[in-house]
Amino acid sequence: MRTSRSGLLAAAVLCVTLAACAPGGAGTTQLSPGDLSALEAQRAQHPTDPDLNLRLAKAYDAANRFADARKALAIVLTQQPTNRVAQTYLGLSYEGMEQFDSARAIYSTLLATKPSGEVGRLLNGRLTLLARKELHASARTALAHETELSRTPPDPNTVAVFPFRYTGQDSSLRPLERGLAALVVSDLSHVRRLRLVERERLQALLDEMQLAASGRVDPATGARSGHLVGAGQVVQGQFQEAPGTNIRLDAAMVRAGDAQVAATGSGRDPLNQLFDLEKSVVFQLLTKSGVPVSPAESIAISERPTKDLQAFLLYSRGLESQDKGDFRAASADFKAAAQRDPTFQAAAQQSQSSDAAQSASGTPDNTLAAVVGGGGAGVPGGGGPTGTTQALQLGINTTVPSGAAISDQVGSNPTSQPRTDPVCEAANCQGLPKLGPTQIGTIIIIINRP
């Protein structure tokens, strides 16, 4: 009997999922407070047991106790530095703690091992979701420090582009608000003198500010937002249907320092010439604001991402869904855009990214860790050698505390050989837990390798 590759993959994922949910497996079924306390009591009796600490880390993850999970995982990774299940949970713990750089380092390290297609897709999806979380956290931080940021003059060569406001009656054109903004960002990024704020970064700020559409074209609002993202110039605009089959596009370059309009651009063309219209407005803004453009830059700005207006509208719809966190709808629209125009590279890239994010967002932590861990060697989940065997291989001094608790500070054991594993470094697990002043330790093994 022949089985398709996708069928085998689905069966494999089902198997690891069932195994993860089995007693003693890799599941993250949330324990009751009493069960969690019992597990903590067991760990107090065997504080350096990697399997026990991994079970406890999973329970902490399910209870959203991410800092506690990180400490338990540091102990696991001290003895099993290649345990991919523990590494995955460590990335999830850092996400929960909003330590995004550390989470990104772990997922990137796992991706560097060139995992299978499904594992790679899930890890790339986590990175996409992580970037979205980071942008919103950054926006919240900026708003919390708005007073300080308003005192710092923003870089005059940094430009942020607002979503263009649609003021017409045809709702099918509304997604172009995002599409036009993305196109302007792409065009202005070809000018070496300018630095562009990512469209997603500004959108995250607007979402956190909960701005109404009517406020997005107000110069004062634009100036405020520019300060918050470090942009000295802000592009704002609007578009609507004009008499006949035309569309009108208006834009302004606003100085964040004084909320004054530095340059304007406008035009009207048939809808099927939208790209020509957008390029014309961009060149007007650059000319009137005094930004020099070289011949090479002018040619790059004039390039079209696609010649298919319908494909661009689908792409714009995908951006709208993506901004809302609806990656399933975004992936479908981006894929449809790429199918209409196979040369539309931005649509193809966004389709892959949204598809991966959708898969990752719908995958529970325990399943994610089980699937990622399935590619390892040694102990289940790719842990490699454990316990005393690991100590023998590394030549470290293994000290087992006899006290009832582990120190809150998981630091380096001065007698341990330094680790170079990037995941272990991120977990701060270069050594076993330090003994407290009242704890009694017993040296079990001291090995010097020949």
Side-chain angles (χ1 to χ4, degrees), residues 12 139 218 389:
D218 178 74
T389 305

Side-chain angles (χ1 to χ4, degrees), residues 248-263:
R248 180 179 178 85
L249 180 63
D250 298 281
M253 184 86 79
V254 177
R255 292 194 299 264
D258 56 11
Q260 295 300 306
V261 175

Side-chain angles (χ1 to χ4, degrees), residues 338-359:
Q339 288 174 343
R340 282 191 63 91
D341 181 1
T343 68
F344 196 175
Q345 296 182 356
Q349 293 169 355
Q350 291 283 14
S351 175
Q352 292 180 357
S353 177
S354 292
D355 182 60
Q358 171 61 27
S359 295

Side-chain angles (χ1 to χ4, degrees), residues 43 49 111 183 194 215 227 243 312 316 343 372:
R43 200 271 299 270
D49 184 310
L111 274 170
L183 198 52
L194 301 178
H227 273 287
F312 186 69
S316 301
T343 68
V372 173

Side-chain angles (χ1 to χ4, degrees), residues 9-201:
L9 178 59
V13 172
L14 177 60
C15 287
V16 296
T17 304
L18 291 175
C21 298
T28 54
T29 302
Q30 188 165 349
L31 302 177
S32 68
D35 293 334
L36 188 55
S37 296
L39 194 55
E40 289 174 327
Q42 291 179 47
R43 200 271 299 270
Q45 297 301 315
H46 306 282
T48 58
D49 184 310
D51 296 331
L52 191 54
N53 275 283
L54 184 55
R55 289 172 57 199
L56 192 55
K58 295 172 184 177
Y60 284 144
D61 175 85
N64 295 331
R65 292 173 56 178
F66 302 112
D68 290 328
R70 191 206 68 82
K71 294 175 185 177
L73 291 164
I75 298 170
V76 177
L77 290 168
T78 298
Q79 301 178 65
Q80 301 175 357
T82 60
N83 189 321
R84 293 164 64 90
V85 172
Q87 291 171 354
T88 305
Y89 271 108
L90 183 61
L92 295 168
S93 295
Y94 277 128
E95 278 196 62
M97 297 165 66
E98 294 196 353
Q99 295 183 15
F100 302 114
D101 288 344
S102 295
R104 184 182 300 104
I106 290 169
Y107 297 145
S108 298
T109 298
L110 288 166
L111 274 170
T113 64
K114 301 186 184 304
S116 65
E118 178 66 11
V119 174
R121 191 163 70 104
L122 287 172
L123 289 172
N124 277 307
R126 290 308 311 181
L127 286 172
T128 299
L129 296 173
L130 184 66
R132 179 178 173 82
K133 289 181 181 180
E134 189 169 15
L135 288 173
H136 282 269
S138 177
R140 290 191 295 271
T141 299
L143 286 169
H145 296 85
E146 184 171 1
T147 301
E148 299 95 304
L149 291 172
S150 64
R151 299 194 188 106
T152 304
D155 179 7
N157 290 325
T158 298
V159 181
V161 181
F162 269 56
F164 278 62
R165 182 190 172 204
Y166 177 61
T167 59
Q169 302 299 318
D170 186 352
S171 59
S172 67
L173 297 178
R174 189 171 301 281
L176 289 173
E177 292 181 336
R178 262 82 166 181
L180 284 169
L183 198 52
V184 173
V185 168
S186 177
D187 288 346
L188 293 180
S189 68
H190 292 300
V191 181
R192 294 182 59 187
R193 175 176 168 178
L194 301 178
R195 286 180 289 275
L196 274 297
V197 175
E198 299 162 300
R199 188 199 69 84
E200 295 83 359
R201 182 182 174 197

